[in-house]
Amino acid sequence: MTVSVTMTVNGKSVSATIDARTLLVQFIRENLQLTGTHVGCDTAQCGACTIHMNGRAVKACSMLAVQAEGASITTIEGLPGRDGKMHPMQEAFRDCHGLQCGFCTTGMVMAACQLVADNPKPSEAEIRAGLDGNICRCTGYHNIVRAVAQAAAQM
Amino acid sequence: MTDMSMSPIGKPLLRREDQRFLTGAGQYTDDISLAGQTAGVFLRSPHAHARIRSIKLDRAREAPGVVAIFTGADLAEAKVGGLPCGWLINNKDGTPMKEPPHPALAQGKVRYVGDQVALVVAENAWQARDACELIEVDYEVLPAVADTATAAGAASLVHDDVPGNVCYDWGHGDKAAVDAAFGGAAHITKLSFVNNRLVPNAMEPRAAIASYTKHDDSYTLHVANQNPHVERLLMCAFVLGLPESKVRVIAPDVGGGFGSKIFLYAEDVALVWASKRVGRPIKWTAERSESFLSDAHGRDHVTTAEMAMDKDGNFLALKVATTANMGAYLSTFASCVPTILYATLLSGQYKTPAVYAEVKAVFTNTAPVDAYRGAGRPEATYLVERIVEQCAREMKLDPAEIRRRNFIKTFPYATPVGLTYDVGDYDATLTKAIKLADVAGFAARKAASAAKGKKRGLGYSCYIEACGIAPSNVAGALGARAGLFEAGEIRVHPTGTVTVFTGSHSHGQGHETTFAQVVAAKLGIPVENVEIVHGDTGRILFGMGTYGSRSLAVGGTAIVKAVDKVIAKGKKIAAHLLEASDTDIVFENGEFKVAGTDKKVPWGSVTLTAYVPHNYPLDKLEPGLNENAFYDPANFTFPAGSYVCEVEVDPRTGQVEICSFTAVDDFGNIVNPMIVEGQVHGGIAQGIGQALLENCVYDKQTGQLLSGSYMDYAMPRADDLPSFKVDTCATPCSHNPLGVKGCGEAGAIGAPPALINAITDALGVRDLPMPATPETVWRVAQGA
């Protein structure tokens, strides 16, 4: 069964006719070719697919594209400002060596933005608890936690 | 001499690869789409052990979008070979190990849950998955062998021609010397334990795109892999019988490996073979549940160890018996992990005069087991550091003191298990770690914990590991079926910028930054002028890839040797330009100079002259400036360190809090300390994961995987871990020009025994299985 969807992604209106079972993350990756959003698991546990929908961080692997009908979506590609400069959270991840293989990074950055939006001055424990929905296998989180703290101070 | 203050060596330069990763511009295999691409999905066995009576494909073949379906029968008919094992281990009696066939798609029998039964190719992945549902396989279910400890001699045989399920029964060391030492011992400490089975879980699932070009009969494989040249060599020479010149393997951005992407996998082979039959590219990307079922797992040892001591706690001999699970088939390097990479490390940092180990490798109806971060060394370190701590307790000695008493203090040192440590200073790392961990304040902290009903414990781990496995001829004599060198090429461009082609592969390690620092330092040019290329057999001359913490020590040295050749040729060009003898030319800070004079010519003039050879000795020197080098190390490198872990245990709940984790490592010289610290953090996290959280569990009766998702297999998350205290000491490696040793696996090797020693110290108990989950800790604390 096919359905048509329309949503705004990174400020641009997009429409497509898709198989009804298309997940939002598949729509973003395959239909829109925005491959910065990754799929690391199939149980909504790892958070590699985290995007912003209507200003909230969500896992794009655990919802259908049709559920995002009319929504405003931001992916990692849409996070830098109009001047092309990286978001302070992206800069902080680079400054603090908060990434290694890069696969979880885009979802981690999107989740971290939400964390700081909710709690502008998080403690280390609050940062760790706030990142509970995102798995990184490379960094041991030490430098991710530093990066989020640094970005929070700048945002 | 290069002016070291200007040199980028030793500086924490930010990583150049981060720009693409942070903006979503990385290109992992699944991000790549080729024109006309189809989707491949593997039908996998739901049974651990079954005979395939028949496979009916009719309904599946008629399903919408299906392009082709292949089974083991197709591969057999095409005479596609089985997957090879890269290391021959001989039994104690000199006979070779058992190497049963490992078909890319099952033939006759399935041997583990997840074993590949069919490859379905369709227009898209849904259609392929839908078609998989329509394949009717008639299985005759057989009894499963799924328990490491009892697999040898089990009634059911994983392979009909492997009696008793024993792959090999191997011994290493001087048994007679060990028996004699035990006879004269004042005290013997004995421990038995399991090194728990782990799933590597790189965050990027395995993925591959195979494509075939008809006009030149060639193949291209994009694959999430750590060593594309090895993948190509094994696939061409042993499985598909193709000339390497017709196969290009590209490992683009790879989202973590930890060993699991070293190996030649069945999926890669089936996809490449099928791509010619289909005539269109086939993309396959594993779902996470598939990764759990089919990625090579790690560890899975059952061990008994005994240490003989004199009355003062001096180690006299170590005796070890281990059963190691190989899984259902021998993966690429499976056989060497619990032997060559394990028993040779059983001396640890200690001058134990005699060591003997027996290792029995068994087949079971579980996924293949192979190298995972540390590969044999974590298992050896866990054994040595757990029993050393227990020795201290039984001898009423401080655990740091018994270690110091037995430390190797003079180098080079030949161990009784076949290695020669070139340099080290184990006292220095331990002393520094004790200070950094504030061990002096532990008693007061323990009392404070006790006052609130908690139990505080301190655990040590003084690990050693062997990196950059080498040299090739020695490894060959020990059964290696591959070379262990590395290759590098320096292409100097006319304007003086440089492209470096390396056989090492980065999947998170930051080679594009570290290697550029090395080359820029050697040539005295800006780091920005050096580009690093890796991961493509079509662009790089050769390579053995990245595993065993070898990249800088082996791959970096190959690059340095190629740079040296560039400089040597540059001197000849400069000598011509300066009208001097090339033996009088020195190269310093990016300038060629006539020694003892002010005559000089800059790097850029020499490079331009090499490509615009007007004023040039064409009669005796070729134009151009492009050199390559192969480097085969003279010895392993031996990173070592001391880890101190402090925990607080709540005996009412079994909850363990890691109050502090301190790591002091000796990696020799360090090129980029920021990257090295990151490697240590990540390794420690995986080590803590093994000790506290992670456990790959198969049902012992049915062989079903019980921990097949992130809801069943506990990955370390941010709130499971503390921030780490890390520092380094340096005794530079004596046999490579950079003096480097390797840092990628240290944390995963050193951390688990530090954790378990700390928890057993807190509880005052001898035994504690990994992972030390709250339930396990609570049961042990209650004596239940």
Side-chain angles (χ1 to χ4, degrees):
Chain A
M1 186 178 77
T2 58
V3 293
S4 62
V5 290
T6 300
M7 63 187 87
T8 303
V9 177
N10 299 335
K12 285 197 290 194
S13 179
V14 295
S15 297
T17 301
I18 55 172
D19 195 318
R21 57 184 166 173
T22 305
L23 296 170
L24 179 57
V25 70
Q26 292 171 320
F27 180 71
I28 291 169
R29 286 180 54 79
E30 292 166 24
N31 292 68
L32 306 181
Q33 285 292 300
L34 294 170
T35 56
T37 302
H38 300 146
V39 180
C41 76
D42 36 29
T43 51
Q45 291 286 307
C46 82
C49 63
T50 305
I51 55 146
H52 294 168
M53 184 168 97
N54 299 328
R56 301 292 303 172
V58 299
K59 291 180 177 177
C61 75
S62 53
M63 60 186 295
L64 297 166
V66 293
Q67 291 175 282
E69 173 69 25
S72 176
I73 304 285
T74 303
T75 69
I76 190 72
E77 290 90 347
L79 198 59
R82 287 196 183 152
D83 56 3
K85 272 188 157 174
M86 287 206 291
H87 185 279
M89 189 62 75
Q90 291 168 305
E91 287 288 0
F93 268 67
R94 174 158 62 189
D95 284 351
C96 296
H97 188 32
L99 66 153
Q100 291 181 23
C101 82
F103 194 81
C104 79
T105 306
T106 50
M108 195 70 80
V109 166
M110 299 307 278
C113 287
Q114 174 82 60
L115 192 163
V116 174
D118 291 346
N119 181 359
K121 290 195 173 116
S123 66
E124 178 180 338
E126 287 168 340
I127 294 172
R128 288 183 177 277
L131 295 176
D132 189 46
N134 291 67
I135 301 176
C136 170
R137 192 56 153 169
C138 294
T139 64
Y141 305 98
H142 180 108
N143 286 338
I144 291 176
V145 172
R146 285 204 308 128
V148 176
Q150 178 179 311
Q154 291 168 351
M155 280 164 64
Chain B
M1 272 300 290
T2 306
D3 178 355
M4 290 308 286
S5 65
M6 298 294 289
S7 169
I9 299 261
K11 302 248 178 3
L13 297 193
L14 298 183
R15 300 198 321 168
R16 53 176 58 181
E17 39 277 87
D18 290 356
Q19 177 73 29
R20 69 178 188 274
F21 294 146
L22 281 164
T23 56
Q27 283 280 289
Y28 303 89
T29 298
D30 190 60
D31 299 339
I32 295 165
S33 290
L34 302 180
Q37 158 182 300
T38 63
V41 168
F42 288 89
L43 176 70
R44 296 180 182 278
S45 170
H47 303 294
H49 195 193
R51 207 173 304 283
I52 300 173
R53 289 202 191 101
S54 67
I55 303 177
K56 287 188 186 157
L57 300 173
D58 306 356
R59 287 175 63 213
R61 282 202 165 115
E62 289 164 13
V66 169
V67 175
I69 303 178
F70 303 103
T71 67
D74 298 305
L75 296 185
E77 190 186 330
K79 299 198 166 25
V80 173
L83 305 183
C85 179
W87 204 297
L88 172 68
I89 297 295
N90 286 321
N91 292 300
K92 281 184 244 170
D93 64 9
T95 57
M97 67 183 189
K98 298 288 186 188
E99 293 183 79
H102 184 182
L105 296 172
Q107 294 175 8
K109 251 177 146 188
V110 288
R111 292 188 173 84
Y112 65 100
V113 174
D115 206 351
Q116 297 79 207
V117 174
L119 166 59
V120 178
V121 182
E123 295 296 335
N124 65 50
W126 281 321
Q127 292 171 330
R129 274 188 213 109
D130 289 345
C132 276
E133 298 290 323
L134 300 173
I135 296 175
E136 294 170 45
V137 186
D138 184 8
Y139 292 107
E140 177 193 347
V141 178
L142 302 170
V145 180
D147 177 38
T148 308
T150 57
S156 184
L157 291 183
V158 178
H159 297 275
D160 296 342
D161 52 356
V162 179
N165 296 315
V166 176
C167 175
Y168 56 76
D169 185 5
W170 181 81
H172 187 61
D174 188 338
K175 186 171 187 298
V178 167
D179 287 343
F182 270 77
H187 185 82
I188 293 169
T189 293
K190 183 173 178 180
L191 273 184
S192 297
F193 42 81
V194 169
N195 204 290
N196 45 326
R197 183 172 176 130
L198 303 174
V199 182
N201 271 308
M203 291 315 298
E204 180 208 17
R206 284 193 295 123
I209 312 171
S211 61
Y212 173 74
T213 308
K214 193 173 180 186
H215 72 83
D216 62 358
D217 193 31
S218 72
Y219 300 80
T220 301
L221 176 68
H222 290 79
V223 60
N225 185 275
Q226 300 176 212
N227 39 4
H229 286 87
V230 176
E231 170 103 354
R232 183 181 66 167
L233 172 63
L234 295 175
M235 188 155 42
C236 290
F238 298 100
V239 186
L240 296 175
L242 295 168
E244 285 144 289
S245 55
K246 294 291 188 190
V247 178
R248 179 179 180 186
V249 177
I250 301 170
D253 286 328
V254 173
F258 314 113
S260 69
K261 293 171 181 167
I262 294 172
F263 321 119
L264 178 65
Y265 280 96
E267 291 89 350
D268 308 346
V269 167
L271 290 164
V272 169
W273 176 82
S275 69
K276 181 174 181 178
R277 296 296 183 96
V278 170
R280 291 165 62 186
I282 311 171
K283 181 196 274 190
W284 164 75
T285 301
E287 296 185 340
R288 178 58 59 185
S289 51
E290 264 186 296
S291 301
F292 272 104
L293 290 174
S294 67
D295 288 3
H297 296 171
R299 320 286 191 250
D300 203 343
H301 285 194
V302 177
T303 291
T304 298
E306 293 175 85
M307 182 76 90
M309 287 172 281
D310 71 10
K311 63 180 176 41
D312 298 319
N314 292 305
F315 304 151
L316 302 176
L318 177 67
K319 185 159 48 176
V320 173
T322 291
T323 301
N325 192 348
M326 298 284 100
Y329 302 99
L330 281 178
S331 177
T332 311
F333 291 108
S335 53
C336 72
V337 174
T339 49
I340 305 298
L341 300 179
Y342 168 70
T344 55
L345 267 294
L346 290 172
S347 283
Q349 298 188 352
Y350 311 106
K351 52 185 166 52
T352 316
V355 178
Y356 179 70
E358 287 183 344
V359 180
K360 189 174 281 186
V362 294
F363 289 111
T364 60
N365 294 114
T366 65
V369 179
D370 206 324
Y372 164 58
R373 201 170 194 168
R377 293 100 89 207
E379 296 91 321
T381 299
Y382 187 71
L383 184 164
V384 171
E385 290 305 293
R386 283 284 290 126
I387 201 164
V388 163
E389 196 94 358
Q390 186 60 32
C391 286
R393 291 171 189 171
E394 292 181 11
M395 299 302 286
K396 309 274 187 278
L397 286 169
D398 178 85
E401 170 55 26
I402 199 170
R403 287 178 167 88
R404 289 191 205 278
R405 200 168 282 188
N406 287 282
F407 274 159
I408 295 161
K409 295 188 178 77
T410 55
F411 296 89
Y413 178 84
T415 73
V417 275
L419 298 178
T420 300
Y421 303 164
D422 60 336
V423 290
D425 186 344
Y426 310 138
D427 256 326
T429 53
L430 181 56
T431 299
K432 200 168 188 176
I434 285 173
K435 189 154 182 274
L436 197 59
D438 185 25
V439 172
F442 173 72
R445 295 191 294 274
K446 186 178 174 74
S449 294
K452 45 182 187 162
K454 305 278 184 72
K455 298 191 171 192
R456 192 172 275 256
L458 190 76
Y460 293 89
S461 165
C462 295
Y463 77 90
I464 189 161
E465 59 156 327
C467 298
I469 181 169
S472 289
N473 53 354
V474 172
L478 293 171
R481 290 163 166 167
L484 295 161
F485 55 85
E486 195 47 272
E489 178 182 355
I490 307 292
R491 188 176 300 170
V492 183
H493 304 292
T495 55
T497 59
V498 173
T499 303
V500 179
F501 299 86
T502 174
S504 298
H505 184 275
S506 181
H507 28 280
Q509 297 89 338
H511 295 170
E512 291 167 41
T513 304
T514 302
F515 287 4
Q517 288 177 248
V518 169
V519 173
K522 289 282 292 179
L523 293 177
I525 61 177
V527 175
E528 296 73 33
N529 288 2
V530 183
E531 202 65 35
I532 307 295
V533 176
H534 62 93
D536 184 348
T537 63
R539 300 181 71 190
I540 294 145
L541 70 169
F542 201 76
M544 297 309 295
T546 286
Y547 53 84
S549 304
R550 71 195 297 270
S551 294
L552 188 57
V554 189
T557 301
I559 290 170
V560 167
K561 282 171 62 88
V563 171
D564 287 342
K565 291 183 186 178
V566 164
I567 293 171
K569 186 169 178 184
K571 283 181 179 175
K572 291 181 183 170
I573 299 169
H576 180 84
L577 294 174
L578 294 168
E579 296 177 337
S581 163
D582 56 349
T583 55
D584 291 335
I585 303 291
V586 292
F587 182 64
E588 291 174 350
N589 300 326
E591 292 176 326
F592 293 92
K593 299 174 183 169
V594 180
T597 75
D598 58 359
K599 290 172 71 178
K600 60 186 182 184
V601 57
W603 165 252
S605 296
V606 168
T607 63
L608 190 64
T609 302
Y611 289 92
V612 187
H614 297 169
N615 178 15
Y616 197 92
L618 285 167
D619 54 335
K620 48 187 189 226
L621 198 63
E622 293 173 11
L625 200 49
N626 191 105
E627 299 287 349
N628 63 48
F630 286 69
Y631 171 66
D632 202 276
N635 192 0
F636 290 84
T637 66
F638 296 99
S642 291
Y643 291 4
V644 183
C645 179
E646 189 168 323
V647 299
E648 189 181 68
V649 181
D650 186 337
R652 292 161 300 188
T653 63
Q655 195 71 39
V656 174
E657 186 198 339
I658 303 172
C659 307
S660 74
F661 196 100
T662 305
V664 177
D665 294 287
D666 179 352
F667 298 133
N669 293 335
I670 288 173
V671 174
N672 186 318
M674 178 194 81
I675 289 174
V676 167
E677 279 189 17
Q679 290 294 309
V680 175
H681 296 157
I684 292 172
Q686 290 183 13
I688 292 174
Q690 171 165 28
L692 293 188
L693 299 161
E694 298 179 41
N695 203 19
C696 176
V697 183
Y698 282 91
D699 182 274
K700 287 183 182 179
Q701 266 72 49
T702 64
Q704 290 292 330
L705 179 63
L706 301 180
S707 52
S709 82
Y710 287 150
M711 295 189 289
D712 313 293
Y713 185 95
M715 290 281 279
R717 293 171 188 263
D719 54 358
D720 294 315
L721 301 172
S723 287
F724 311 115
K725 292 187 219 172
V726 302
D727 205 338
T728 54
C729 292
T731 58
C733 174
S734 65
H735 55 80
N736 65 50
L738 294 167
V740 297
K741 296 181 180 177
C743 65
E745 297 163 292
I749 293 168
L755 253 296
I756 301 300
N757 286 340
I759 301 170
T760 52
D761 178 54
L763 297 177
V765 299
R766 170 194 182 88
D767 298 311
L768 177 68
M770 294 194 289
T773 61
E775 182 190 342
T776 298
V777 171
W778 181 83
R779 284 183 188 282
V780 169
Q782 306 301 317

